[in-house]
Each structure stands twice: as structure tokens, then as C-alpha cells.
Amino acid sequence: MTTASEPLEPVLSVRQVLALERVLAGEPEVVAGAAQLDRPVRWVHVAEAADVGVMLTGGEMVLTTGVLLAGDEDKQAEYIRSLYRAEAAAVVLGLGRAFPAPPDVMRRAAERCGLPLVVLHRPFPFAELTEEVQSRLVRRKFAAVSLSEAVRTALTALITAGAPVQSLLDEIAAHSACPVVVTNLAHRVLATAGERPAVDDVLRDWERIARQAGGTEGDGWIRAELGGRGQRWGQIVLCGYRGGTAAGRLLADRAAEALVLHRMLGGGSARSWEEQSAQRLLTDLVSGVVPARQLLPRARAAGLPVNRRTFVPLVVRDVTPAGLDRVLRMLGLAGLVADLADGATAVLLSLARDQDADALTAHFAARLRSESGRTRTVVAAAGARTGWDEVPAGLHEAQHVADAVADSSAALDLPDVVRLRDVHLRGLIRLLRDDPQVQSFAERELDGLLCGTDRDLLNVLRTYLATGRNKSRTAQLHHVSRPALYRRLEAIQARLGVDLDDFEQAASVHIALLAHDAQQG
């Protein structure tokens, strides 16, 4: 793979030309325009004509001995001005044939125009310099074209294979060897790629840095607009690209083309890039693979207020991320929304310290039920956190609460916002469900029913225990007569070898059943 350390810039600067070994043999001296030595040299042109400016198109380094200018100061000054108007990169004057020393008129005119004027103190064959520079420029242009094709081919292959946008960005970061950031028009970060420490350094104060960087590219900040059909929706930024401005623009343009095409084709996902960005952040928070402190720059760059805030982690079931995001906007609440597994969605609210977290969470849950039309939507909440480092534990707690009430027959009796204190024994069992001893206990206690083929008895047992051993209610829910229920309960007791009228034995079976259900679900 071609990397940014190779000479990919399709032009040379005046400074780079003057540093060539062949040029150094002529003992070059910059006598004017020293501040403009980083101008790009597109071509080298040998010309003795006094009106050479009309032959130029810009970016040329003009080589001359000045034989047609000697003795006429007006021609000398006009010669420099014509080169400046033609946007020449620099003029190199070979001393000895017409001028034994740098002519003051030309030097003063070049200084006023800001045009680099270089004199060669030793005789120098211009043909050698022309050959050297032109061959280097051709090689660099070929390398730039090769890079462009390599990037385009790699990105097209990823898009054809249905790769996610992150894979495209990783490929771009590999070619550019610098952090890559995709933002919306409000400078909110949608995605990043590159080495994590370097990316975090860029994101640490992203909004200020992004706005200060503006459109300047001299420091390696190269950007390309993202959009199509006359509408812009974001930009991609190469942050600190070291391969040269023109090569950086080429990379950014190829990347922008690929990202726009990826988005037009659906990107392999119906979710917006904003949702994907939030999901990656919350997934990393929940997984614990990346310490929360290291994720703080990403959260801030994504637009989540993090300074002196109260964070409320929530997990909601059976509501789409888009629906949750819509309710957040309706209420004017700051937060991130991301899909979890099994129809659950995480929401991380960011509230001002003087706001009532419990009241706003309850208001959010009520509006969510109203907008979704789901009266039994489970909104599980962890306790409010005032420190960012506490957020991962809060997300785990909210997920645990949501799991504990999932498919619970007692869901109708739950409050609008379910918390850890509301899930009681069921919550404890959910926490312990992966413990081998708990699993063994559940299998041992329920073996007489689990090994049988009549699953209806297990359902009757579940209802009977969940209703507090209320036989009338159990018979009603299963649409059977009380005598029929009695027969089924007798069969259950016989298979399990227990007396369900005994509180301790019934409690033991109930705990085993909760553990079994938790393991299954």
C-alpha cells in the first residue's frame, strides 16, 4: 500500500527545487521574495524573451541569463512585474553573461511583488535543471495518479462488498496516515478513523479546533465536502496530513466520492450516520473495552454536553431509535440513542446539574408512551450519575433492570420508570443467571418438569407462583376450572416431589423457575 511518507505531492516547491543537488552546484542565492519559497513549481521554463509573461499559465519557474534586459532598467522592472502578473512561481537569473551581480532594479521589483528572485553565482547548464525538475514532476504526477486509482479501487471494492462506513474510513486513514473525521454541517463528529491516541488528541477540543482550522490547508488540515443533488450534508477532514496539500486534496476527494456513494446506496444500514456514531460510542461504554475517560473526547465531539452535567442512563424496549430521538428533540433534551440487542435501545440523557433528573426522566417516559402509543413500554433507568466515569456502570444497571422485567407477568404493575429497587428478587436472579451453581440449582429443582413433554404444566406453575399462589386467579388466566387446576397442581407437585403449600419449598421452586427463565431469555 502506498503511504503518506512517500513523495506523493505532484508538484515541487521553490524551496525543494533550490535544494536539489544539481541546483546547489550553481550556488543559488535568494535575493528577493524569501517568504514565498513554498510556492508550488508546476513546470520549469527557459526563456530569454523580455515579454515572457504572456507565454506563461502560472506556476512556472523561469530560468534566464537576462541578456535581453541588460542596460535597460525599465525592461528589468517590467520583466519582474509581468512574471508576477502571470503568477510565475519564481525567476532564476544566471549571473555572469549579462549581470555580474544581482541587479538592484529587479531585486527591488521582486521584493515589492513578493516574487522569489534567485541568482546563480556559478555557470550552470539550464538544460540539466530543466531535465531534473521535469522528470521529478512527471514521476510525482504519476505517483499521485497511482495513489488516486489505488484508493478508488480499494474503496469501490469495500462498497461493492457491502462494507460498513467504518471500513471505508479505516482504509482512508491507512492511506493518509493521519486521523480522519467525518462531521455534519454543525461540526458534530459522525465518525472517525486512525490511530486512537491521535484521534483522541484531535477530538479533545474538536469544535474549537475545527472552527479555527477553517478552510486553511497549510498545516495539513484537508477537507472535502460531502453531499449530492445540490445539497451538502457534511464534510470529511484529514487532520494533520503530512503528504502535501495537493495529494491530501486528492485523497480527500476520493474519500468524499466513496462516502457519498456509500450513503446513496444505503451504506448497508437504514440508520443514519448520527445513529451509528452514537451506537459505537455507547457500545464502547457498555463493553468496557475502552475506558470511559478515553471516550470523553468522542462524546464531546458528537455534541453531547459533558461538562458539569448529570447523566441518566436508560434502556427502553420496543421503541425505535428514531422514535426515541424524536421525543428527545420534542422535549429539548440532550442525549445519545443507540440500539442494543433483543429489541432494547439505550438512551443516555445529559442534564444540567440544576435540573430534576427524576422528574425529567418521568416526563420523558410519559411522552414516549404517548408518542409511541404503547402503554406497556418498559423504560428502565439507572440512578443519575454526576461523573462521566460512572456512566458505564449506569448503563449496565439500566440494562439489567430492563432484562429483569422483560416478559415479566408482573409488568402491568410496574411504575412508569422502572428502577433497580422495583425488580426485587427477579433482578437478583438476572444478575446471577450465568453462575454455574445457580444453573445447576434450577435444573435440579425443575427436573421433573423440564424433562417431560407437557410444557403446559410449567406455564401453570409459573402463573401460580407469580400470582402469589392464587388458585382462582391462576384458573382464570388459564381458562380452566378450579378442579382441573387442582389436578394439574397435584401433577406438578408429584413430578417435582414438593409441597407447594409449604412456603419454603414453594419459594425454592419459584427461585429456580426465575433462574430458568432468566437463562432462557
Side-chain angles (χ1 to χ4, degrees):
M1 180 182 296
T2 304
T3 65
S5 60
E6 298 173 15
L8 299 176
E9 192 71 357
V11 295
L12 290 165
S13 67
V14 175
R15 191 186 309 277
Q16 289 173 316
V17 172
L18 298 181
L20 296 176
E21 187 175 350
R22 290 190 180 183
V23 180
L24 291 175
E27 297 182 7
E29 178 190 1
V30 180
V31 297
Q36 303 297 322
L37 294 183
D38 290 320
R39 282 184 173 183
V41 176
R42 187 182 58 81
W43 208 245
V44 177
H45 191 67
V46 180
E48 298 293 354
D51 59 348
V52 66
V54 300
M55 308 175 190
L56 306 180
T57 59
E60 295 90 350
M61 174 180 277
V62 177
L63 311 180
T64 183
T65 60
V67 291
L68 300 181
L69 303 175
D72 192 331
E73 294 186 346
D74 289 339
K75 281 187 177 182
Q76 294 169 23
E78 177 56 26
Y79 181 81
I80 295 296
R81 289 193 292 267
S82 68
L83 292 179
Y84 170 73
R85 290 193 297 269
E87 298 181 349
V91 58
V92 178
L93 175 64
L95 300 180
R97 187 172 179 186
F99 296 99
D104 286 340
V105 172
M106 294 179 69
R107 182 182 56 77
R108 289 195 299 269
E111 196 64 55
R112 284 194 298 269
C113 294
L115 176 68
L117 173 61
V118 182
V119 297
L120 301 175
H121 288 279
R122 298 187 61 178
F124 184 82
F126 284 167
E128 289 187 9
L129 175 58
T130 302
E131 178 185 6
E132 175 79 9
V133 174
Q134 314 302 44
S135 63
R136 286 176 179 263
L137 290 175
V138 169
R139 288 199 302 270
R140 284 167 173 256
K141 289 180 179 179
F142 178 77
V145 171
S146 297
L147 170 67
S148 175
E149 288 306 309
V151 173
R152 178 181 280 129
T153 299
L155 296 179
T156 301
L158 289 172
I159 293 173
T160 303
V165 67
Q166 189 61 47
S167 296
L168 273 68
L169 293 176
D170 290 340
E171 184 72 19
I172 296 163
H175 281 281
S176 63
C178 70
V180 176
V181 177
V182 176
T183 75
N184 62 16
L185 296 181
H187 298 281
R188 298 294 165 82
V189 175
L190 305 181
T192 63
E195 294 184 2
R196 195 75 259 161
V199 172
D200 288 344
D201 285 343
V202 168
L203 297 184
R204 193 156 284 116
D205 196 9
W206 168 255
E207 187 165 349
R208 180 185 63 80
I209 293 174
R211 294 182 186 279
Q212 281 187 351
T216 61
E217 297 181 341
D219 57 356
W221 281 66
I222 313 294
R223 61 192 67 228
E225 300 296 335
L226 300 175
R229 298 170 183 164
Q231 184 178 15
R232 292 171 54 236
W233 50 265
Q235 62 180 349
I236 181 170
V237 187
L238 307 185
C239 307
Y241 180 71
R242 300 304 178 196
T245 301
R249 286 200 199 101
L250 181 150
L251 271 173
D253 288 344
R254 294 294 83 77
E257 291 171 4
L259 294 180
V260 170
L261 178 60
H262 187 279
R263 181 170 172 129
M264 289 174 61
L265 295 177
S269 171
R271 293 171 299 167
S272 70
W273 284 14
E274 288 85 352
E275 290 169 347
Q276 294 180 54
S277 175
Q279 172 151 9
R280 285 190 294 270
L281 176 59
L282 290 186
T283 299
D284 285 346
L285 276 169
V286 171
S287 70
V289 174
V290 183
R293 181 61 54 182
Q294 294 183 21
L295 296 172
L296 189 58
R298 287 170 57 187
R300 184 183 290 112
L304 185 74
V306 294
N307 295 330
R308 296 187 58 78
R309 305 290 288 188
T310 296
F311 302 101
V312 181
L314 308 174
V315 171
V316 181
R317 289 196 172 275
D318 303 321
V319 181
T320 65
L324 288 163
D325 195 53
R326 184 170 58 252
V327 173
L328 285 178
R329 290 197 301 270
M330 286 179 179
L331 299 179
L333 296 176
L336 296 177
V337 179
D339 265 340
L340 299 175
D342 302 324
T345 305
V347 182
L348 180 61
L349 299 180
S350 174
L351 309 176
R353 289 283 176 86
D354 59 354
Q355 291 180 296
D356 187 330
D358 288 347
L360 281 173
T361 304
H363 186 41
F364 172 79
R367 177 59 70 89
L368 180 62
R369 289 190 175 92
S370 172
E371 292 296 323
S372 67
R374 296 174 180 268
T375 59
R376 293 190 60 186
T377 296
V378 173
V379 179
R385 265 62 176 176
T386 56
W388 178 256
D389 289 340
E390 302 169 358
V391 169
L395 287 167
H396 279 292
E397 181 182 317
Q399 191 168 15
H400 162 63
V401 173
D403 287 345
V405 299
D407 301 323
S408 170
S409 59
L412 286 173
D413 302 324
L414 292 172
D416 290 344
V417 178
V418 188
R419 302 183 183 276
L420 193 59
R421 61 177 177 267
D422 300 314
V423 296
H424 307 297
L425 179 61
R426 188 180 299 272
L428 176 63
I429 296 300
R430 278 277 175 172
L431 283 176
L432 300 176
R433 64 181 175 178
D434 294 327
D435 186 292
Q437 295 188 38
V438 173
Q439 295 171 358
S440 177
F441 168 77
E443 290 291 322
R444 184 172 61 252
E445 289 289 298
L446 301 175
D447 182 62
L449 292 179
L450 297 179
C451 65
T453 57
D454 189 357
R455 305 298 293 184
D456 182 58
L457 291 180
L458 193 65
N459 291 331
V460 170
L461 176 63
R462 184 180 290 110
T463 305
Y464 179 62
L465 295 174
T467 58
R469 295 184 292 174
N470 187 320
K471 295 175 182 176
S472 297
R473 180 61 174 155
T474 303
Q476 181 183 9
L477 290 173
H478 283 271
H479 308 289
V480 297
S481 65
R482 285 176 66 94
L485 176 65
Y486 294 156
R487 288 192 296 272
R488 295 185 186 186
L489 290 176
E490 289 172 359
I492 291 170
Q493 293 180 104
R495 290 193 183 187
L496 298 181
V498 298
D499 179 5
L500 293 179
D501 289 330
D502 181 88
F503 175 78
E504 184 174 339
Q505 293 183 53
S508 180
V509 172
H510 194 185
I511 292 171
L513 186 57
L514 290 175
H516 169 75
D517 289 346
Q519 291 155 15
Q520 296 301 309

